[in-house]
Amino acid sequence: MGSASTSAPARQTYGDVVITTPVTVPYRRYSTESTIWWIGRALAALASESRLDHRDIDGLSVASFSTAPDTVIGLTQHLGLSPRFIDFLPFGGVAAIVGLRRAARAVQMGDAEIVACIGADTNAVDSFEESLKTFSRFSQDGVFPYGAGGPNTSFALIAANYMRKYGARREDFGKIAVAQRANAMHNANALLRTQLDLDTYMNARPIADPIHLFDCVMPCAGSEAFLVMREATARAQGLPFARIAASIERHNAFSEDQVQERGGWARDIHELYAMAALDPAQIDVLETYDDYPFISMMQFEDLGFCKKGEGSDFVQQHDLTIGGSFPHNTSGGQLSTGQAGVAGGFLGLVEALRQVTGQAGSTQVADARHAMASGFGMINYDRGLASAAVILSGGA
């Protein structure tokens, strides 16, 4: 057999497929309700906000870590759906963008007319502890022999390496966290709305050096969702919508790096901007996946807003609040809103959709036309394996 061609075909646009109807089911620190309840609440909100009968939804994409023993197929009976497209995405921080990409192609190809994309997880008192036990065999083997478990230890390894190599400081990460808390003060859904200043951030107790308390997200329960459909359908329903200008997805990039110092965005970012016919200066709002502030800084670099190693200077030169020179994580992000499991990967995308459709309310950035949302996740011992990004442009 001959060798495969090394040149990939040009990325295809999404045509007349749009994203609409941003939904957030208000978060709770703990919940006795099942994940299925949170999914059902999101579906009901999608139907209500879009003025559609839920039975008109013929595609269902669910992202979650905690639906077991229920399956998404089983949910179709429980929720009264009969979809001809179905997807299940236990993909953490990239699930929303991956789900959007798949749903958009399904609608574009005629495999579905309207797809509901839902991210949801519940959070009982012991949910986070239990999920860590089965999250990743690689992570268990790498971390448990040292008497530690969970993401904080692994991310501390990545953060320490990043700081040594590029000179990033905790003060720089603190500016990101403080700005996001300021943004969260405008978001009634954020669970953490007590003012945070840099001194408080710097003096917080250590969790896994160099990670301290305010570098960490707070697990919670919640759900986020949106609809994918054709522009004509959205217009017929009178729904504000955004066009999918471009998207990328990459897994296990840069495996040659001894410890992760860049994400898969850096492999494909030029194609993202080329597909959208935009450049970084034209992005009005950025919503990064912020399980830790230094991961957001890494994205500033890998998404092309500054060069590698310039993240610290970039942060110090910009105001990251809603009204600032570089609006970032305008809802407060996971660091202040909370991390509702896989729904945390939907938070930025849903906020980006609200921004470019003028529905963000008290977190609205003036004249937001183009928004980028990025996803990251599925960490093994020394790296996150999944990365994705999408640019949304407001509809006419």
Side-chain angles (χ1 to χ4, degrees):
M1 296 178 64
S3 60
S5 172
T6 57
S7 60
R11 295 181 185 267
Q12 300 299 304
T13 69
Y14 292 94
D16 65 343
V17 179
V18 301
I19 174 175
T20 182
T21 319
V23 160
T24 299
V25 180
Y27 292 5
R28 299 178 191 170
R29 177 69 176 93
Y30 295 108
S31 174
T32 58
E33 305 289 356
S34 69
T35 295
I36 309 309
W37 182 89
W38 288 94
I39 294 170
R41 287 288 302 276
L43 181 66
L46 287 172
S48 175
E49 294 292 325
S50 65
R51 298 178 296 279
L52 290 164
D53 189 302
H54 73 282
R55 288 164 292 194
D56 294 329
I57 297 171
D58 62 349
L60 178 64
S61 175
V62 172
S64 179
F65 285 141
S66 57
T67 59
D70 295 296
T71 65
V72 177
I73 293 175
L75 283 179
T76 63
Q77 181 183 28
H78 182 69
L79 300 174
L81 301 175
S82 182
R84 53 197 184 110
F85 169 82
I86 197 167
D87 204 5
F88 177 59
L89 301 161
F91 292 172
V94 298
I97 298 173
V98 173
L100 171 61
R101 285 162 55 86
R102 294 183 181 184
R105 294 304 187 196
V107 172
Q108 190 175 32
M109 295 296 104
D111 291 332
E113 290 295 323
I114 302 170
V115 181
C117 296
I118 301 171
D121 272 304
T122 194
N123 188 48
V125 173
D126 62 346
S127 290
F128 188 68
E129 178 183 355
E130 291 300 313
S131 67
L132 293 179
K133 295 178 182 179
T134 58
F135 180 73
S136 165
R137 182 68 62 187
F138 293 104
S139 183
Q140 290 177 11
D141 292 346
V143 177
F144 282 12
Y146 296 96
N152 290 328
T153 304
S154 292
F155 276 103
L157 170 68
I158 301 170
N161 178 72
Y162 181 78
M163 294 170 75
R164 283 193 301 269
K165 183 159 186 176
Y166 297 111
R169 306 170 304 159
R170 286 195 59 234
E171 290 87 344
D172 305 319
F173 306 150
K175 185 174 181 183
I176 295 172
V178 168
Q180 290 192 199
R181 183 62 62 85
N183 291 342
M185 302 292 282
H186 299 275
N187 177 11
N189 188 51
L191 294 182
L192 298 174
R193 301 181 69 206
T194 303
Q195 187 173 357
L196 177 67
D197 57 38
L198 187 58
D199 285 343
T200 303
Y201 169 90
M202 294 296 295
N203 293 319
R205 62 183 174 89
I207 303 299
D209 192 58
I211 289 172
H212 290 234
L213 179 64
F214 295 110
D215 294 305
C216 305
V217 296
M218 184 173 72
C220 61
S223 54
E224 306 269 351
F226 53 84
L227 293 175
V228 179
M229 62 184 67
R230 295 189 182 277
E231 180 179 335
T233 307
R235 289 189 181 277
Q237 291 298 120
L239 299 174
F241 62 84
R243 294 186 173 88
I244 308 163
S247 71
I248 54 175
E249 173 186 344
R250 177 72 68 167
H251 307 283
N252 193 31
F254 307 115
S255 58
E256 66 273 18
D257 291 350
Q258 188 172 16
V259 177
Q260 183 170 35
E261 57 192 57
R262 49 189 168 163
W265 315 281
R267 285 278 298 274
D268 306 292
I269 191 61
H270 297 299
E271 291 187 47
L272 182 73
Y273 288 119
M275 185 178 181
L278 296 169
D279 60 47
Q282 293 173 281
I283 302 300
D284 300 306
V285 186
L286 176 64
E287 309 287 349
T288 65
Y289 188 81
D290 62 320
D291 43 359
Y292 300 87
F294 85 92
I295 293 296
S296 289
M297 183 184 290
M298 186 183 294
Q299 288 166 83
F300 295 164
E301 298 169 341
D302 294 350
L303 293 170
F305 296 99
C306 59
K307 294 179 180 179
K308 199 67 187 174
E310 295 181 355
S312 291
D313 289 341
F314 183 85
V315 166
Q316 293 302 331
Q317 292 166 6
H318 288 85
D319 181 341
L320 308 179
T321 62
I322 293 166
S325 60
F326 190 78
H328 170 247
N329 285 356
T330 48
S331 69
Q334 296 176 95
L335 288 170
S336 288
T337 303
Q339 184 184 68
V342 178
F346 278 65
L347 179 65
L349 180 52
V350 169
E351 175 71 6
L353 174 56
R354 289 192 174 109
Q355 288 289 340
V356 298
T357 54
Q359 299 177 86
S362 57
T363 66
Q364 184 69 53
V365 172
D367 302 319
R369 296 175 54 223
H370 307 294
M372 181 186 292
S374 53
F376 174 76
M378 304 309 293
I379 188 171
N380 280 339
Y381 171 52
D382 56 357
R383 68 199 63 232
L385 295 177
S387 57
V390 62
I391 297 174
L392 301 182
S393 297

